[in-house]
């Protein structure tokens, strides 16, 4: 797969903390209920911690009580990439750099416009406070 931002593992390791690298580049999830954005209510735009691409806004964030930040839709349809994986749930990646964000769940009955839950690791995100547009 080709992305707008491509770097070697050594370059990513130099830019990211070990924990960020483990999640973003190693595709491992952080422990539930430990992320800084799990219960965040601040307004703003959530961007990719690896490359800075805008991914989700606080407008699409909802409380799913799953232990990770949850969004019912990305900021723009082309900001994230959903890939089938070996797990039963599709993997969500940043469309700009390919970094691992989390997984997508559908049809769980949440009262959201899409009935989708983008379950995203806090370590994959950085909140830019302010207007969510």
């Amino acid at each position: 797969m080709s992305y707008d931002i491509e770097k070697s593992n050594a370059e990513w390791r130099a830019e990211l903390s070990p924990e960020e690298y483990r999640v973003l580049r190693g595709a491992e999830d952080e422990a539930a209920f430990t992320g800084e954005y799990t219960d965040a209510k601040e307004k703003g735009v959530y961007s990719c911690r690896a490359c800075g691409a805008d991914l989700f806004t606080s407008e699409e964030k909802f409380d799913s009580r799953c232990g990770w930040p949850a969004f019912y839709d990305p900021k723009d349809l082309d900001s994230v990439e959903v890939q089938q994986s070996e797990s039963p749930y599709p993997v969500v990646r940043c469309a700009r750099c390919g970094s691992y964000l989390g997984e997508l769940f559908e049809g769980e009955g949440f009262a959201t416009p899409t009935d989708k839950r983008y379950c995203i690791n806090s370590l994959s995100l950085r909140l830019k406070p302010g207007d969510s547009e």
Side-chain angles (χ1 to χ4, degrees):
M1 183 124 306
S2 179
Y3 296 99
D4 290 344
I5 296 177
E6 300 222 4
K7 298 179 184 184
S8 69
N9 285 335
E11 290 173 305
W12 284 120
R13 282 186 194 279
E15 293 179 19
L16 302 170
S17 74
E19 295 82 16
E20 292 167 344
Y21 184 86
R22 179 181 58 77
V23 172
L24 288 157
R25 305 310 300 172
E28 295 182 31
D29 291 313
E30 63 196 3
F33 300 101
T34 63
E36 68 180 303
Y37 300 126
T38 302
D39 298 319
K41 304 284 189 232
E42 295 84 4
K43 299 285 185 199
V45 175
Y46 290 87
S47 62
C48 175
R49 195 172 289 223
C51 73
D54 291 347
L55 303 172
F56 301 96
T57 75
S58 57
E59 300 300 316
E60 290 92 22
K61 189 173 188 293
F62 70 101
D63 184 8
S64 68
R65 298 176 195 31
C66 69
W68 291 273
F71 303 86
Y72 64 80
D73 234 355
K75 182 178 186 302
D76 298 305
L77 292 177
D78 59 353
S79 62
V80 300
E81 179 178 88
V82 177
Q83 302 173 335
Q84 291 304 316
S85 67
E86 294 177 13
S87 83
Y89 307 104
V91 166
V92 180
R93 295 190 176 277
C94 173
R96 187 171 170 211
C97 70
S99 289
Y100 175 77
L101 304 172
E103 295 178 317
L104 174 61
F105 301 85
E106 297 185 73
E108 296 177 309
F110 286 106
T112 61
T114 64
D115 199 17
K116 293 181 181 180
R117 177 170 56 97
Y118 290 81
C119 185
I120 307 298
N121 290 284
S122 287
L123 281 169
S124 296
L125 302 172
R126 181 161 282 122
L127 175 62
K128 297 188 283 187
D131 195 356
S132 59
E133 304 227 0

